[in-house]
Amino acid sequence: MKTVLNNSILGTGVFLSLCTIGSAGLTDCSKNLAFQLTNLFQLDSIQFDYANCGEDDTGNGFAAGIVNFCTGTGDAWQVIEAYHNITGGDDEFTSLDKTLAAYAEDGNGSTAGIENFCGLWAEASKKQAFMDAQNQVLEALYFDPSQTYADSVNLTLSVTQAQLYDTAISHGASDSYNSLGGMISLTNSRFSRDIPGNSTSTLQIGGFNIDEIEWLKEFLNVRAGYSVEGDATNSIRAYILILQLQEYSWTDQITVLDNDDKQVVISCADSYMPSADSSSSSSPSSQSDDEKVSSSSSRSRSSRKKGSGSGSDSDKTNTEDDTTDDTKDTNDE
Ligand SMILES: *[C@@H]1O[C@H](CO)[C@@H](O)[C@H](O)[C@H]1NC(C)=O
Ligand SMILES: *[C@@H]1O[C@H](CO)[C@@H](O)[C@H](O)[C@H]1NC(C)=O
Ligand SMILES: *[C@@H]1O[C@H](CO)[C@@H](O)[C@H](O)[C@H]1NC(C)=O
Ligand SMILES: *[C@@H]1O[C@H](CO)[C@@H](O)[C@H](O)[C@H]1NC(C)=O
């Protein structure tokens, strides 16, 4: 895990500049919308849940923070290292450093010796520096790699770029067959002739001219093959609605489908950062206050490694919601 983080950080040079976008892709507004949208599936809220923490369902120790960083897979330690860099090493976690580093190094999901981890995590999550550290690791492990993949296909539309971020969160951002890179390869392999379309972007895929939206439709088909329930399926359905509404380039707001199958508007004026708006509308605009869902207590925590075939550390995946009433049919056509 350490290796992956270092490669990722040193390779892109974006680690310390939080607001830098690692590609020509998503702008501040469309990136904000992409984060809000993925959070909506993952958390039933447009906002990240920095203080989230509990024992991982699958034995990877504690799972905590905005994408369930795990003590037993090493990315939680990466967050804490990034935080130490900001605090100078003297903070809530200092006394656990030795144990946390060892568990990260060994991939050990034991919680022995770190029993108070979640209390410390919650305490630290009140501080901007710790939220920044979580954001940095999210960017380094998921967002930046997803946009590097987007650039490699020359994607130009927000909807496609955001879908790759969403996939990285659910399936990891590695080349293994059931992770983002593998799904892109499989998508590309499915074209055997030019596919025109009505978007403004044409991709060169294996010598064929493929409209970017037609490419995205095929990508969603591929992804559906790896997603039978939970947030991933909700994401696919929401993106199909976005395509029907022809919301290709995101500049201001978009209409999306939430986990309850309701069309809601999310806007760049809102944010995935709780600290960014004190009025704190953590729900999209069609929901009234009493419908707001606080997910942190009910959400299951799991760091199931999809795409573990490659053994890549960046295969860590996020949770699926426990919104069992949302287990709808997965038909995306
Ligand atoms: C912490 O800072 C050191 C020295 O600048 C750097 O090499 C390392 O990559 C940083 N680690 C994290 C996790 O930010
Ligand atoms: C994990 O850590 C625990 C507690 O320190 C230890 O007892 C156990 O042997 C370790 N497991 C592995 C596989 O190293
Ligand atoms: C493009 O737009 C035309 C006219 O609206 C429509 O008939 C056609 O089906 C569209 N093509 C695709 C690939 O969406
Ligand atoms: C992306 O665009 C660059 C520059 O136009 C081109 O050289 C490259 O072949 C393109 N790659 C793909 C996969 O379309």
Side-chain angles (χ1 to χ4, degrees):
M1 187 52 90
K2 213 168 199 169
T3 312
V4 168
L5 181 69
N6 286 342
N7 286 347
S8 177
I9 290 167
L10 300 177
T12 62
V14 299
F15 188 68
L16 294 175
S17 48
L18 178 58
C19 296
T20 301
I21 295 157
S23 76
L26 293 166
T27 63
D28 284 349
C29 169
S30 53
K31 180 181 175 183
N32 184 2
L33 290 172
F35 279 17
Q36 290 182 50
L37 183 52
T38 293
N39 287 352
L40 199 53
F41 312 131
Q42 298 278 345
L43 308 171
D44 275 336
S45 162
I46 60 175
Q47 295 189 329
F48 282 143
D49 183 1
Y50 291 89
N52 161 51
C53 187
E55 265 196 60
D56 175 52
D57 289 342
T58 54
N60 286 310
F62 288 112
I66 55 178
V67 289
N68 281 326
F69 302 109
C70 286
T71 56
T73 62
D75 56 0
W77 176 238
Q78 291 171 18
V79 172
I80 290 163
E81 279 188 304
Y83 183 48
H84 283 340
N85 271 5
I86 302 171
T87 64
D90 184 15
D91 54 54
E92 290 85 351
F93 297 101
T94 309
S95 65
L96 300 188
D97 275 356
K98 208 163 164 262
T99 311
L100 287 171
Y103 287 168
E105 183 74 21
D106 300 344
N108 190 333
S110 172
T111 55
I114 55 169
E115 291 84 357
N116 57 342
F117 180 82
C118 282
L120 299 175
W121 188 280
E123 199 53 40
S125 291
K126 294 173 185 163
K127 298 177 181 163
Q128 188 62 47
F130 192 59
M131 293 195 264
D132 290 345
Q134 293 192 41
N135 291 337
Q136 287 174 8
V137 177
L138 169 87
E139 304 246 347
L141 292 186
Y142 302 105
F143 181 75
D144 290 340
S146 77
Q147 297 310 294
T148 300
Y149 278 115
D151 288 350
S152 75
V153 195
N154 285 343
L155 303 180
T156 61
L157 303 173
S158 318
V159 63
T160 324
Q161 293 162 335
Q163 169 57 215
L164 295 202
Y165 165 71
D166 189 79
T167 302
I169 290 294
S170 281
H171 297 278
S174 82
D175 282 332
S176 89
Y177 76 100
N178 52 0
S179 187
L180 175 58
M183 293 185 199
I184 290 172
S185 296
L186 182 55
T187 302
N188 289 345
S189 75
R190 288 191 172 180
F191 294 108
S192 55
R193 60 185 174 88
D194 290 351
I195 308 287
N198 292 333
S199 86
T200 53
S201 170
T202 303
L203 310 176
Q204 310 294 318
I205 306 290
F208 302 109
N209 294 317
I210 312 296
D211 182 84
E212 183 171 329
I213 293 302
E214 299 306 307
W215 185 92
L216 175 55
K217 288 177 187 169
E218 193 57 43
F219 179 84
L220 290 171
N221 280 334
V222 166
R223 184 178 170 186
Y226 294 98
S227 313
V228 289
E229 60 183 18
D231 54 273
T233 300
N234 288 343
S235 161
I236 291 167
R237 293 166 53 257
Y239 273 85
I240 288 166
L241 174 73
I242 291 169
L243 290 181
Q244 284 166 357
L245 299 175
Q246 298 190 11
E247 300 174 310
Y248 300 157
S249 292
W250 301 350
T251 54
D252 177 21
Q253 62 178 43
I254 50 175
T255 299
V256 305
L257 209 57
D258 69 10
N259 287 338
D260 296 323
D261 240 349
K262 268 189 309 197
Q263 290 191 21
V264 297
V265 174
I266 60 174
S267 121
C268 294
D270 295 324
S271 173
Y272 58 91
M273 294 277 291
S275 55
D277 65 333
S278 46
S279 65
S280 138
S281 63
S282 69
S283 294
S285 51
S286 85
Q287 289 186 299
S288 62
D289 279 359
D290 56 338
E291 287 177 308
K292 282 182 187 174
V293 181
S294 165
S295 62
S296 57
S297 55
S298 62
R299 188 154 48 106
S300 71
R301 294 180 181 81
S302 161
S303 62
R304 285 167 298 105
K305 291 199 180 213
K306 296 171 185 166
S308 55
S310 75
S312 163
D313 289 311
S314 49
D315 283 333
K316 177 182 174 297
T317 186
N318 200 7
T319 64
E320 291 187 344
D321 277 353
D322 57 352
T323 49
T324 48
D325 55 317
D326 288 319
T327 309
K328 305 181 178 72
D329 68 86
T330 61
N331 184 2
D332 66 337
E333 297 285 25

